[in-house]
Amino acid sequence: MTIKALLLNASLKSGDEVSNTESLMHEAVSIFHKNGIQTEIVRLADYQIAYGVTADEGNDDEWPEIFEKVKAADILILGTPIWLGEKSSLATQAIERLYGASGMTNEKGQYIFYNKVAGVVVTGNEDGAKHASASILYGLSHIGFTIPPNVDTYWVGEAGPGPSYIEAKGNQNEFTMQHNQIMTYNLIHFANLLKEHPIPSEGNVVKNGS
C-alpha cells in the first residue's frame, strides 16, 4: 500500500535560497523515508500562484500543477515561517487556493480532501508558532482534511531579533525533535488507517457541490 506525502513550503524565499522552514521539514521527511513513504517538497515561492479562491484562476496560474500533487497525496504538511506573529502570506494564499476546491467531491460525493491527513511545521525567531499552527490546522480541517493529534511541530528563538532555526541548531532542540517525531508518526498512522478504512459516505455526502 503506497502512501504519498506532500510538503508545501510557504517560505518567502525562492528555491535557490536556504530555508529554515524547509530544514525542519526535512526532519519529517527523514522519518517518512524510513517508513517507506513517498515524499515531495514543493517551494511555493518558485511558482506563479494567482490570487483567488478557485482551483484554477487561468492566466498562467501555476496552482493547478500543485493542486494535482495535493490530490495525489495522502499526507499534506504545510510549512511556514513566522512574520509579525503570523503565518506567511504564501501560507495564507495556499489555504485560500485549497479552499477554492472545497466544493469538489470525491467518488463517494464527499468533500475532495476527505481521507487525507494534514499537519503543520513552523519556524521563526519570534513568537506566533501556536497561533500560526492553530490557524492553519483549523483551515485544513474545515475543508475536509483529517487532523490527527499533535501534528504541529515548531521552533522559535528567544524574544527579539536573533538566530533562526539553522543557525541556532534547532535540530538539537529536544522539544522540537520530539514533536516532529510525534507529528510524523501520527500522520503516517492515520494515513494508513484511512487507506484501509476510509470515512463512510453515510451522513456526509455533499449536495449540489456545496
Side-chain angles (χ1 to χ4, degrees):
M1 182 170 55
T2 301
I3 299 292
K4 296 180 179 179
L6 176 67
L7 298 92
L8 300 181
N9 181 3
S11 168
L12 301 184
K13 300 173 182 176
S14 60
D16 58 350
E17 297 179 84
V18 175
S19 165
N20 288 281
T21 301
E22 193 156 311
S23 181
L24 179 50
M25 295 172 87
H26 276 291
E27 298 294 336
V29 168
S30 67
I31 296 176
F32 284 141
H33 286 171
K34 289 177 184 177
N35 287 272
I37 308 299
Q38 295 183 13
T39 65
E40 181 180 3
I41 296 179
V42 170
R43 186 83 69 99
L44 296 178
D46 291 340
Y47 290 79
Q48 294 292 328
I49 302 174
Y51 296 104
V53 286
T54 68
D56 187 348
E57 290 291 326
N59 297 322
D60 300 321
D61 179 22
E62 293 182 333
W63 174 258
E65 180 181 344
I66 299 170
F67 182 54
E68 289 301 315
K69 298 177 186 291
V70 174
K71 290 195 292 183
D74 304 290
I75 298 170
L76 178 72
I77 292 179
L78 182 56
T80 181
I82 300 169
W83 292 108
L84 297 174
E86 300 282 352
K87 61 185 180 295
S88 76
S89 56
L90 273 176
T92 297
Q93 190 178 21
I95 292 172
E96 289 170 346
R97 296 305 304 274
L98 289 169
Y99 183 69
S102 61
M104 296 182 179
T105 56
N106 63 20
E107 66 280 358
K108 293 182 179 180
Q110 301 164 314
Y111 290 119
I112 196 169
F113 301 123
Y114 266 41
N115 301 311
K116 299 179 185 295
V117 298
V120 62
V121 167
V122 182
T123 63
N125 57 6
E126 55 187 275
D127 193 22
K130 290 185 177 180
H131 173 72
S133 295
S135 173
I136 289 170
L137 291 177
Y138 169 75
L140 295 176
S141 172
H142 182 72
I143 60 176
F145 284 91
T146 295
I147 309 298
N150 301 115
V151 286
D152 60 313
T153 187
Y154 65 88
W155 181 93
V156 291
E158 296 180 358
S164 295
Y165 173 80
I166 296 173
E167 183 183 357
K169 298 182 180 179
N171 62 346
Q172 297 178 18
N173 182 283
E174 182 178 356
F175 176 86
T176 300
M177 291 301 100
Q178 180 184 45
H179 274 260
N180 171 72
Q181 179 173 289
I182 292 170
M183 173 191 73
T184 309
Y185 276 101
N186 282 354
L187 288 171
I188 293 170
H189 173 73
F190 275 79
N192 277 303
L193 184 66
L194 289 171
K195 276 279 193 181
E196 296 176 1
H197 304 285
I199 298 170
S201 59
E202 183 179 3
N204 56 42
V205 172
V206 181
K207 296 181 179 179
N208 302 319
S210 63

